[in-house]
Amino acid sequence: MEEDKMLSASHGGGAKATNIIRGAIVGLCIIVFLGYIMMWCIMPTDTYYNKWVPHIMASTNSTYFGLQGPILLDFTFPILFIAVMGCIYTHLGKGMESSDKKKDPFKKLRRPMIIKGLGIVSWIELFFFAMFILLCLWYFSSFMHFWYEKINMEAMSRGDKLWQAKLERFALVIGLAGNVCLTFLFFPVTRGSSILAFLGLTSEASIKYHIWLGHLSMTMFTAHGFSYLIYWALTHRLSEALKWDEMWDQTYVNNIAGELCLLSGLVMWSTTFPSIRRRMFEVFYYTHNLYILFIIFYILHKGLFFICIMLPGMYLFVIDRFLRFLQSRQKVRLVSARVLPCETVELNFSKSRALNYTPTSTMFVNIPIISKLQWHPFTVTSNSHLEPDTLSVVIKCEGSWTKKLYDLISSPSSVDRLQASIEGPYGPPTTHFLRHDMLVMASGGSGITPFISIIRDLMFMSSARKCKTPKLLLISTFRNSSHLSMLDLLLPVSGASAGSCNLDLQIEAYVTREKVQPLEKAEPSRIIRFRPLPSDSPISPNLGKNSWLWLAAIISSSFVIFLLILGIITRYYIYPIDHNTNKVNLMTRRTVLTTLIICFSIAITATAAFLWNKNQNVKETKQIQDLEDSTTGGSSGSMHDAADRELESLPHQSLVKSMKVHYGARPDLKRILLQSKGSSVGALVCGPKQMRHDVAAICSSGLAENLHFESISFSW
């Protein structure tokens, strides 16, 4: 007993010290970020150009870093520092399941609201969005004021009329304001971002921020490009549009590169609107890869100064994208599939026990036999503790790609092996479901999949950790009764023990297109076993168990290598010829060289970290393969029979206290939510847009103070 008390005290002391360190990291990052924002606010002012610019220009005489040095320090270093601190913060918080039920001081600010054009947003999101708009307006108005003060002198020097000179200045400043949006554009789509994890966000939940920033930036860049074309046409200077390198107003600019950048951006932008994206998703998917050309031509258009300003977001995105590329080159072990009668299939992959993930995580899947280029995101329904050797995703037929996959697996002559590659899984660093007394989960169709992962996670906590779990109410809406088979997915195909589980789960299923229960019995689910090749590997963590620390090492070491190589090349290659060569022509070479150094530094450090952790998993992979070979040595038929018997023996009754099926009806969400009892009720919704908006409206109405809204949407 005394030893247990000492161990508990030691654990409590360690947790307290960890929380102190995490709190210090938060405080330090807030200070650094405020300084970073301050730099953005100072840039378009007289203070910056009269005091900072002379200092920057003087520093270009440096034989090691030239112009990039002070800009890297002011705009790149702060964000990379926050990213590294975010890695440490998230690593220290791994495995911390928050069950604190103290009153949330920001509860009213977290309430949802529905705004046309923005969708469902909280007051906190709206506040920060408004602050960002104010930053853009400040940036734009300050630059306009700065340039308009000397507009008469510039108009005279160029032989322009005053209004023509104002049009040219407007075109310049609106493009500069677009740089603010572009700087933050890539943060939400960096799937393994430590900054998103630091803020408690996921890439899937942050897609809307990427959409907002994309619309803002393309609006500004379009106004920038067409304003310059109009200006050149009015001043008879259309030949400027065909210039590759030139100095304009003492600034390096590449007009052809800028036009190609705008053109690729407009092609991407035209396919992002919901009416086009939803009807022709593949067109949207393929055209969005033009972002590579967009960034290349943007860098060539503006040169070194703006590379350093927008570098942080791009730098972290490139690291994440390269790590995803390395992971996607591996062929994973797809061991089985569960085929449901509602044109739904559950894919079961072999995974390493070192891989842990949280509920509502997503994973991108590629099946080369269907398409070598398409990657589709799916919710991970398995639980890394309840099913330590298996990772599962559920795929419902809702498009051409999913239809081909279902037909391929469910056909009588099903394939023995299905080659697959994955990226992920990606999910929130921690979950907060234990904070609530009750969880009300409303789903429509395939929207049930994230709730399967939540139920399995709480099932494990209830049985293994013996901790108190909230009461669960699952409200599932289906079109017809065949889709009720999706409820079979609540329990894993592995038949994990749930005998000691005391989960209080109630299911209310609604079948909207059938008024009575059909007389015909639904077809049973089928299990199909695959025979993976020995070279196929189980899914393992990209950077090992301590992935966040490895990511911090990659970010910091790659940046140090970048600075070292940049300094050496600047000193021994750029500087000796800087005074003997046309600086305009040299600027293009310096821009390209700097970009290549960045890519090289990231590639060498990320590859080294990836290969090191891959080698660490070799022994475990071999053990898993030996175990699978020994357990699947029987005939194909016997394996299928055993799987069917296993599926039928799952202990449904021990989990579901009561289950009701309502035919020809839709759930009265308002009544259900307002009657939910408990001091804290989590209202989770995943399904059609109208369902999400209905639940958000109920939670924001103020009729019940105990409701906490959370939308889980993957339909971006």
Side-chain angles (χ1 to χ4, degrees):
M1 289 292 294
E2 291 183 0
E3 290 182 357
D4 292 341
K5 290 181 180 180
M6 292 176 63
L7 185 62
S8 177
S10 175
H11 178 74
K16 186 176 181 180
T18 299
N19 288 331
I20 292 174
I21 296 173
R22 297 180 84 210
I25 290 175
V26 171
L28 182 60
C29 289
I30 290 174
I31 294 172
V32 173
F33 183 72
L34 289 176
Y36 174 75
I37 295 298
M38 189 63 67
M39 285 301 306
W40 277 104
C41 294
I42 293 174
M43 180 186 285
T45 62
D46 293 339
T47 302
Y48 183 83
Y49 278 89
N50 293 332
K51 295 182 179 180
W52 288 71
V53 167
H55 169 69
I56 293 174
M57 297 304 294
S59 70
T60 58
N61 294 324
S62 167
T63 59
Y64 285 97
F65 294 108
L67 177 65
Q68 300 103 308
I71 305 299
L72 286 171
L73 180 64
D74 295 337
F75 289 96
T76 303
F77 176 76
I79 296 299
L80 296 188
F81 175 81
I82 293 174
V84 172
M85 290 294 102
C87 290
I88 299 173
Y89 176 89
T90 309
H91 173 77
L92 293 174
K94 275 200 315 184
M96 287 187 175
E97 173 69 33
S98 177
S99 58
D100 189 0
K101 296 184 179 181
K102 292 181 180 179
K103 188 174 180 180
D104 185 2
F106 301 105
K107 178 183 174 182
K108 291 186 177 180
L109 295 179
R110 298 184 195 277
R111 275 187 178 173
M113 64 175 63
I114 302 171
I115 299 178
K116 188 175 181 180
L118 297 181
I120 303 172
V121 295
S122 67
W123 283 102
I124 293 178
E125 289 176 320
L126 193 62
F127 171 77
F128 282 104
F129 183 69
M131 291 296 100
F132 183 80
I133 295 297
L134 287 176
L135 174 63
C136 293
L137 291 174
W138 163 260
Y139 198 78
F140 176 82
S141 60
S142 297
F143 259 129
M144 290 294 288
H145 173 74
F146 176 80
W147 289 114
Y148 273 27
E149 281 187 340
K150 45 187 180 181
I151 195 72
N152 291 321
M153 186 182 302
E154 291 186 2
M156 291 177 60
S157 64
R158 296 177 186 171
D160 295 342
K161 296 178 181 179
L162 183 60
W163 67 270
Q164 292 173 339
K166 287 184 176 181
L167 175 62
E168 190 275 334
R169 290 293 95 175
F170 167 80
L172 172 64
V173 172
I174 196 70
L176 294 174
N179 292 329
V180 181
C181 300
L182 187 62
T183 300
F184 294 92
L185 181 66
F186 289 92
F187 287 109
V189 289
T190 305
R191 296 176 193 164
S193 170
S194 60
I195 292 181
L196 291 180
F198 183 51
L199 297 174
L201 299 172
T202 63
S203 179
E204 289 293 336
S206 305
I207 287 292
K208 59 184 177 183
Y209 309 138
H210 176 74
I211 294 173
W212 300 349
L213 291 169
H215 286 312
L216 282 173
S217 59
M218 282 310 304
T219 299
M220 294 181 186
F221 288 148
T222 302
H224 166 74
F226 281 96
S227 296
Y228 260 114
L229 289 175
I230 294 171
Y231 167 74
W232 288 333
L234 293 173
T235 57
H236 307 289
R237 297 190 183 117
L238 275 176
S239 59
E240 295 287 341
L242 302 177
K243 291 187 177 180
W244 182 255
D245 287 325
E246 70 165 345
M247 293 294 291
W248 178 259
D249 193 29
Q250 299 181 343
T251 305
Y252 164 82
V253 68
N254 187 320
N255 291 333
I256 292 180
E259 290 148 14
L260 293 173
C261 172
L262 179 60
L263 180 62
S264 58
L266 288 173
V267 173
M268 281 193 295
W269 194 25
S270 64
T271 63
T272 60
F273 296 93
S275 58
I276 298 176
R277 187 180 71 240
R278 290 170 185 166
R279 293 177 185 176
M280 299 179 290
F281 180 80
E282 291 186 4
V283 175
F284 160 78
Y285 179 85
Y286 288 122
T287 55
H288 230 61
N289 289 309
L290 289 174
Y291 79 88
I292 299 173
L293 293 179
F294 178 86
I295 292 301
I296 290 173
F297 289 127
Y298 172 86
I299 292 171
L300 291 174
H301 175 55
K302 288 306 296 179
L304 292 172
F305 185 83
F306 287 97
I307 287 182
C308 299
I309 290 178
M310 65 160 289
L311 181 59
M314 270 300 303
Y315 196 92
L316 297 174
F317 175 79
V318 172
I319 289 177
D320 178 74
R321 187 66 190 87
F322 189 73
L323 288 172
R324 283 160 45 197
F325 167 78
L326 293 175
Q327 185 184 27
S328 67
R329 295 305 93 193
Q330 299 182 104
K331 306 305 177 187
V332 295
R333 295 175 66 84
L334 179 58
V335 294
S336 67
R338 175 159 37 162
V339 181
L340 304 181
C342 57
E343 292 192 327
T344 301
V345 61
E346 179 189 52
L347 299 181
N348 300 298
F349 299 88
S350 173
K351 87 168 187 71
S352 164
R353 289 177 178 261
L355 176 63
N356 293 314
Y357 47 86
T358 51
T360 71
S361 293
T362 57
M363 186 173 73
F364 286 72
V365 179
N366 172 258
I367 308 294
I369 196 173
I370 299 176
S371 173
K372 294 182 178 180
L373 299 177
Q374 292 188 37
W375 291 79
H376 292 262
F378 300 102
T379 307
V380 177
T381 55
S382 55
N383 178 264
S384 57
H385 302 291
L386 197 64
E387 305 146 274
D389 300 316
T390 306
L391 186 148
S392 304
V393 296
V394 173
I395 301 173
K396 191 176 187 301
C397 289
E398 293 183 344
S400 59
W401 189 90
T402 52
K403 178 65 176 174
K404 290 176 183 177
L405 176 64
Y406 181 80
D407 291 341
L408 182 66
I409 295 177
S410 62
S411 64
S413 57
S414 179
V415 293
D416 291 334
R417 175 182 177 266
L418 197 59
Q419 181 177 314
S421 299
I422 63 97
E423 291 180 1
Y426 307 101
T430 57
T431 56
H432 308 284
F433 304 122
L434 295 181
R435 286 182 175 181
H436 304 295
D437 299 311
M438 181 178 183
L439 290 179
V440 179
M441 300 174 286
S443 69
S446 59
I448 193 176
T449 52
F451 301 141
I452 295 173
S453 66
I454 294 173
I455 291 172
R456 290 189 186 182
D457 187 60
L458 294 176
M459 186 192 308
F460 168 78
M461 291 185 179
S462 175
S463 60
R465 297 184 180 177
K466 303 296 183 183
C467 61
K468 184 179 179 182
T469 55
K471 180 181 178 181
L472 302 181
L473 173 59
L474 176 62
I475 306 167
S476 297
T477 306
F478 303 108
R479 291 181 180 178
N480 51 61
S481 56
S482 66
H483 290 79
L484 290 172
S485 59
M486 294 191 71
L487 296 174
D488 293 339
L489 300 172
L490 292 176
L491 286 172
V493 73
S494 59
S497 175
S500 59
C501 175
N502 58 356
L503 198 65
D504 188 356
L505 172 62
Q506 180 181 354
I507 299 175
E508 299 283 343
Y510 292 81
V511 180
T512 59
R513 295 188 178 181
E514 295 177 2
K515 294 185 177 181
V516 295
Q517 183 177 357
L519 298 176
E520 300 85 4
K521 203 169 185 180
E523 296 180 9
S525 301
R526 292 190 299 121
I527 302 295
I528 297 174
R529 298 284 180 180
F530 298 115
R531 295 183 180 276
L533 297 177
S535 58
D536 295 340
S537 59
I539 301 174
S540 57
N542 221 10
L543 295 174
K545 294 181 179 180
N546 299 317
S547 57
W548 290 113
L549 294 182
W550 277 102
L551 182 59
I554 292 172
I555 295 171
S556 54
S557 60
S558 62
F559 189 62
V560 170
I561 292 174
F562 161 65
L563 293 178
L564 290 174
I565 298 176
L566 180 65
I568 293 171
I569 290 181
T570 302
R571 173 64 181 87
Y572 295 103
Y573 174 68
I574 299 295
Y575 183 72
I577 61 175
D578 194 16
H579 301 288
N580 303 318
T581 307
N582 186 332
K583 290 193 176 183
V584 175
N585 296 329
L586 182 62
M587 189 62 70
T588 298
R589 279 187 278 172
R590 293 184 67 173
T591 301
V592 172
L593 196 58
T594 301
T595 305
L596 291 176
I597 294 172
I598 292 172
C599 295
F600 172 79
S601 303
I602 291 174
I604 192 172
T605 52
T607 302
F610 177 82
L611 292 178
W612 172 272
N613 285 285
K614 184 179 179 181
N615 291 333
Q616 296 299 308
N617 292 326
V618 170
K619 290 184 179 179
E620 183 179 355
T621 300
K622 189 176 184 304
Q623 292 174 354
I624 292 176
Q625 290 177 352
D626 292 341
L627 179 62
E628 288 182 353
D629 291 341
S630 64
T631 57
T632 60
S635 65
S636 176
S638 63
M639 286 189 298
H640 285 239
D641 295 339
D644 290 337
R645 289 194 299 271
E646 183 181 56
L647 187 61
E648 292 172 358
S649 66
L650 291 177
H652 286 78
Q653 297 302 322
S654 64
L655 292 176
V656 184
K657 297 294 180 66
S658 62
M659 176 178 173
K660 296 180 182 178
V661 180
H662 309 267
Y663 290 91
R666 294 182 180 274
D668 186 350
L669 294 174
K670 184 175 183 179
R671 177 186 60 81
I672 294 172
L673 287 170
L674 295 182
Q675 291 180 355
S676 299
K677 297 180 180 179
S679 60
S680 177
V681 177
L684 284 67
V685 59
C686 183
K689 180 180 178 181
Q690 188 58 48
M691 175 181 278
R692 300 198 305 270
H693 284 199
D694 289 344
V695 175
I698 296 167
C699 293
S700 62
S701 64
L703 297 175
E705 294 294 328
N706 61 342
L707 294 178
H708 299 265
F709 174 79
E710 183 176 348
S711 174
I712 305 174
S713 174
F714 305 104
S715 58
W716 45 270

PDB file of all heavy atoms in Angstrom, residues 626-646:
ATOM      1  N   ASP A 626       5.801 -13.384 -38.926  1.00  0.00           N
ATOM      2  CA  ASP A 626       5.883 -14.780 -38.492  1.00  0.00           C
ATOM      3  C   ASP A 626       4.602 -15.204 -37.786  1.00  0.00           C
ATOM      4  O   ASP A 626       4.115 -16.327 -37.980  1.00  0.00           O
ATOM      5  CB  ASP A 626       7.083 -14.966 -37.555  1.00  0.00           C
ATOM      6  CG  ASP A 626       8.416 -14.786 -38.289  1.00  0.00           C
ATOM      7  OD1 ASP A 626       8.411 -14.883 -39.536  1.00  0.00           O
ATOM      8  OD2 ASP A 626       9.438 -14.550 -37.611  1.00  0.00           O
ATOM      9  N   LEU A 627       4.042 -14.312 -36.971  1.00  0.00           N
ATOM     10  CA  LEU A 627       2.814 -14.623 -36.254  1.00  0.00           C
ATOM     11  C   LEU A 627       1.643 -14.797 -37.217  1.00  0.00           C
ATOM     12  O   LEU A 627       0.853 -15.732 -37.098  1.00  0.00           O
ATOM     13  CB  LEU A 627       2.504 -13.507 -35.244  1.00  0.00           C
ATOM     14  CG  LEU A 627       1.225 -13.668 -34.419  1.00  0.00           C
ATOM     15  CD1 LEU A 627       1.305 -14.922 -33.559  1.00  0.00           C
ATOM     16  CD2 LEU A 627       1.006 -12.433 -33.547  1.00  0.00           C
ATOM     17  N   GLU A 628       1.545 -13.918 -38.211  1.00  0.00           N
ATOM     18  CA  GLU A 628       0.457 -14.014 -39.186  1.00  0.00           C
ATOM     19  C   GLU A 628       0.587 -15.275 -40.033  1.00  0.00           C
ATOM     20  O   GLU A 628      -0.405 -15.932 -40.344  1.00  0.00           O
ATOM     21  CB  GLU A 628       0.449 -12.773 -40.080  1.00  0.00           C
ATOM     22  CG  GLU A 628      -0.033 -11.528 -39.372  1.00  0.00           C
ATOM     23  CD  GLU A 628      -0.069 -10.323 -40.290  1.00  0.00           C
ATOM     24  OE1 GLU A 628       0.406 -10.451 -41.441  1.00  0.00           O
ATOM     25  OE2 GLU A 628      -0.561  -9.275 -39.871  1.00  0.00           O
ATOM     26  N   ASP A 629       1.810 -15.622 -40.414  1.00  0.00           N
ATOM     27  CA  ASP A 629       2.017 -16.833 -41.223  1.00  0.00           C
ATOM     28  C   ASP A 629       1.603 -18.084 -40.456  1.00  0.00           C
ATOM     29  O   ASP A 629       1.056 -19.034 -41.023  1.00  0.00           O
ATOM     30  CB  ASP A 629       3.488 -16.934 -41.640  1.00  0.00           C
ATOM     31  CG  ASP A 629       3.867 -15.856 -42.643  1.00  0.00           C
ATOM     32  OD1 ASP A 629       2.945 -15.288 -43.267  1.00  0.00           O
ATOM     33  OD2 ASP A 629       5.074 -15.571 -42.785  1.00  0.00           O
ATOM     34  N   SER A 630       1.855 -18.083 -39.146  1.00  0.00           N
ATOM     35  CA  SER A 630       1.509 -19.269 -38.349  1.00  0.00           C
ATOM     36  C   SER A 630       0.014 -19.386 -38.103  1.00  0.00           C
ATOM     37  O   SER A 630      -0.513 -20.485 -37.931  1.00  0.00           O
ATOM     38  CB  SER A 630       2.253 -19.228 -37.010  1.00  0.00           C
ATOM     39  OG  SER A 630       1.832 -18.111 -36.249  1.00  0.00           O
ATOM     40  N   THR A 631      -0.696 -18.254 -38.082  1.00  0.00           N
ATOM     41  CA  THR A 631      -2.139 -18.288 -37.802  1.00  0.00           C
ATOM     42  C   THR A 631      -2.990 -18.380 -39.050  1.00  0.00           C
ATOM     43  O   THR A 631      -4.181 -18.676 -38.967  1.00  0.00           O
ATOM     44  CB  THR A 631      -2.550 -17.029 -37.013  1.00  0.00           C
ATOM     45  OG1 THR A 631      -2.168 -15.873 -37.762  1.00  0.00           O
ATOM     46  CG2 THR A 631      -1.889 -17.007 -35.653  1.00  0.00           C
ATOM     47  N   THR A 632      -2.434 -18.115 -40.231  1.00  0.00           N
ATOM     48  CA  THR A 632      -3.204 -18.163 -41.486  1.00  0.00           C
ATOM     49  C   THR A 632      -2.693 -19.255 -42.403  1.00  0.00           C
ATOM     50  O   THR A 632      -2.757 -19.138 -43.618  1.00  0.00           O
ATOM     51  CB  THR A 632      -3.122 -16.806 -42.216  1.00  0.00           C
ATOM     52  OG1 THR A 632      -1.744 -16.524 -42.509  1.00  0.00           O
ATOM     53  CG2 THR A 632      -3.717 -15.695 -41.371  1.00  0.00           C
ATOM     54  N   GLY A 633      -2.195 -20.316 -41.802  1.00  0.00           N
ATOM     55  CA  GLY A 633      -1.637 -21.394 -42.625  1.00  0.00           C
ATOM     56  C   GLY A 633      -2.678 -22.336 -43.176  1.00  0.00           C
ATOM     57  O   GLY A 633      -2.371 -23.183 -44.007  1.00  0.00           O
ATOM     58  N   GLY A 634      -3.965 -22.212 -42.762  1.00  0.00           N
ATOM     59  CA  GLY A 634      -5.011 -23.098 -43.240  1.00  0.00           C
ATOM     60  C   GLY A 634      -5.501 -22.718 -44.607  1.00  0.00           C
ATOM     61  O   GLY A 634      -5.015 -21.805 -45.250  1.00  0.00           O
ATOM     62  N   SER A 635      -6.505 -23.441 -45.071  1.00  0.00           N
ATOM     63  CA  SER A 635      -7.075 -23.177 -46.389  1.00  0.00           C
ATOM     64  C   SER A 635      -7.901 -21.914 -46.351  1.00  0.00           C
ATOM     65  O   SER A 635      -8.339 -21.459 -45.304  1.00  0.00           O
ATOM     66  CB  SER A 635      -7.947 -24.346 -46.830  1.00  0.00           C
ATOM     67  OG  SER A 635      -9.062 -24.452 -45.961  1.00  0.00           O
ATOM     68  N   SER A 636      -8.177 -21.400 -47.563  1.00  0.00           N
ATOM     69  CA  SER A 636      -8.953 -20.162 -47.665  1.00  0.00           C
ATOM     70  C   SER A 636     -10.350 -20.351 -47.132  1.00  0.00           C
ATOM     71  O   SER A 636     -10.893 -19.511 -46.442  1.00  0.00           O
ATOM     72  CB  SER A 636      -8.983 -19.699 -49.134  1.00  0.00           C
ATOM     73  OG  SER A 636      -9.787 -18.576 -49.293  1.00  0.00           O
ATOM     74  N   GLY A 637     -10.961 -21.484 -47.447  1.00  0.00           N
ATOM     75  CA  GLY A 637     -12.330 -21.709 -46.991  1.00  0.00           C
ATOM     76  C   GLY A 637     -12.432 -21.766 -45.491  1.00  0.00           C
ATOM     77  O   GLY A 637     -13.341 -21.215 -44.885  1.00  0.00           O
ATOM     78  N   SER A 638     -11.515 -22.471 -44.837  1.00  0.00           N
ATOM     79  CA  SER A 638     -11.568 -22.573 -43.383  1.00  0.00           C
ATOM     80  C   SER A 638     -11.366 -21.243 -42.716  1.00  0.00           C
ATOM     81  O   SER A 638     -11.936 -20.960 -41.671  1.00  0.00           O
ATOM     82  CB  SER A 638     -10.511 -23.577 -42.895  1.00  0.00           C
ATOM     83  OG  SER A 638      -9.221 -23.118 -43.221  1.00  0.00           O
ATOM     84  N   MET A 639     -10.534 -20.411 -43.335  1.00  0.00           N
ATOM     85  CA  MET A 639     -10.317 -19.083 -42.765  1.00  0.00           C
ATOM     86  C   MET A 639     -11.597 -18.270 -42.818  1.00  0.00           C
ATOM     87  O   MET A 639     -11.950 -17.576 -41.871  1.00  0.00           O
ATOM     88  CB  MET A 639      -9.204 -18.355 -43.527  1.00  0.00           C
ATOM     89  CG  MET A 639      -7.810 -18.865 -43.223  1.00  0.00           C
ATOM     90  SD  MET A 639      -6.564 -17.797 -43.935  1.00  0.00           S
ATOM     91  CE  MET A 639      -6.915 -17.937 -45.669  1.00  0.00           C
ATOM     92  N   HIS A 640     -12.325 -18.338 -43.922  1.00  0.00           N
ATOM     93  CA  HIS A 640     -13.566 -17.589 -44.059  1.00  0.00           C
ATOM     94  C   HIS A 640     -14.603 -18.080 -43.067  1.00  0.00           C
ATOM     95  O   HIS A 640     -15.307 -17.292 -42.449  1.00  0.00           O
ATOM     96  CB  HIS A 640     -14.106 -17.714 -45.490  1.00  0.00           C
ATOM     97  CG  HIS A 640     -13.340 -16.880 -46.475  1.00  0.00           C
ATOM     98  ND1 HIS A 640     -13.945 -15.905 -47.232  1.00  0.00           N
ATOM     99  CD2 HIS A 640     -12.031 -16.875 -46.809  1.00  0.00           C
ATOM    100  CE1 HIS A 640     -13.043 -15.329 -48.021  1.00  0.00           C
ATOM    101  NE2 HIS A 640     -11.877 -15.912 -47.776  1.00  0.00           N
ATOM    102  N   ASP A 641     -14.702 -19.411 -42.885  1.00  0.00           N
ATOM    103  CA  ASP A 641     -15.668 -19.966 -41.952  1.00  0.00           C
ATOM    104  C   ASP A 641     -15.355 -19.528 -40.527  1.00  0.00           C
ATOM    105  O   ASP A 641     -16.246 -19.173 -39.752  1.00  0.00           O
ATOM    106  CB  ASP A 641     -15.678 -21.499 -42.038  1.00  0.00           C
ATOM    107  CG  ASP A 641     -16.178 -21.973 -43.401  1.00  0.00           C
ATOM    108  OD1 ASP A 641     -16.857 -21.174 -44.075  1.00  0.00           O
ATOM    109  OD2 ASP A 641     -15.873 -23.123 -43.773  1.00  0.00           O
ATOM    110  N   ALA A 642     -14.070 -19.574 -40.187  1.00  0.00           N
ATOM    111  CA  ALA A 642     -13.666 -19.169 -38.835  1.00  0.00           C
ATOM    112  C   ALA A 642     -13.986 -17.704 -38.591  1.00  0.00           C
ATOM    113  O   ALA A 642     -14.440 -17.321 -37.513  1.00  0.00           O
ATOM    114  CB  ALA A 642     -12.167 -19.428 -38.639  1.00  0.00           C
ATOM    115  N   ALA A 643     -13.743 -16.893 -39.619  1.00  0.00           N
ATOM    116  CA  ALA A 643     -14.018 -15.462 -39.472  1.00  0.00           C
ATOM    117  C   ALA A 643     -15.511 -15.212 -39.288  1.00  0.00           C
ATOM    118  O   ALA A 643     -15.923 -14.369 -38.492  1.00  0.00           O
ATOM    119  CB  ALA A 643     -13.502 -14.706 -40.690  1.00  0.00           C
ATOM    120  N   ASP A 644     -16.348 -15.954 -40.060  1.00  0.00           N
ATOM    121  CA  ASP A 644     -17.790 -15.787 -39.932  1.00  0.00           C
ATOM    122  C   ASP A 644     -18.259 -16.184 -38.534  1.00  0.00           C
ATOM    123  O   ASP A 644     -19.090 -15.508 -37.934  1.00  0.00           O
ATOM    124  CB  ASP A 644     -18.523 -16.617 -40.986  1.00  0.00           C
ATOM    125  CG  ASP A 644     -18.328 -16.051 -42.385  1.00  0.00           C
ATOM    126  OD1 ASP A 644     -18.021 -14.849 -42.474  1.00  0.00           O
ATOM    127  OD2 ASP A 644     -18.466 -16.804 -43.370  1.00  0.00           O
ATOM    128  N   ARG A 645     -17.746 -17.302 -38.011  1.00  0.00           N
ATOM    129  CA  ARG A 645     -18.126 -17.727 -36.665  1.00  0.00           C
ATOM    130  C   ARG A 645     -17.682 -16.699 -35.632  1.00  0.00           C
ATOM    131  O   ARG A 645     -18.393 -16.406 -34.674  1.00  0.00           O
ATOM    132  CB  ARG A 645     -17.511 -19.100 -36.355  1.00  0.00           C
ATOM    133  CG  ARG A 645     -18.143 -20.257 -37.135  1.00  0.00           C
ATOM    134  CD  ARG A 645     -17.729 -21.589 -36.516  1.00  0.00           C
ATOM    135  NE  ARG A 645     -16.294 -21.775 -36.548  1.00  0.00           N
ATOM    136  CZ  ARG A 645     -15.646 -22.341 -37.561  1.00  0.00           C
ATOM    137  NH1 ARG A 645     -16.314 -22.741 -38.644  1.00  0.00           N
ATOM    138  NH2 ARG A 645     -14.345 -22.508 -37.511  1.00  0.00           N
ATOM    139  N   GLU A 646     -16.495 -16.127 -35.881  1.00  0.00           N
ATOM    140  CA  GLU A 646     -15.970 -15.119 -34.957  1.00  0.00           C
ATOM    141  C   GLU A 646     -16.873 -13.894 -34.946  1.00  0.00           C
ATOM    142  O   GLU A 646     -17.175 -13.311 -33.910  1.00  0.00           O
ATOM    143  CB  GLU A 646     -14.553 -14.738 -35.380  1.00  0.00           C
ATOM    144  CG  GLU A 646     -13.879 -13.743 -34.455  1.00  0.00           C
ATOM    145  CD  GLU A 646     -12.484 -13.384 -34.946  1.00  0.00           C
ATOM    146  OE1 GLU A 646     -12.378 -12.933 -36.098  1.00  0.00           O
ATOM    147  OE2 GLU A 646     -11.531 -13.568 -34.193  1.00  0.00           O
TER     148      GLU A 646
END
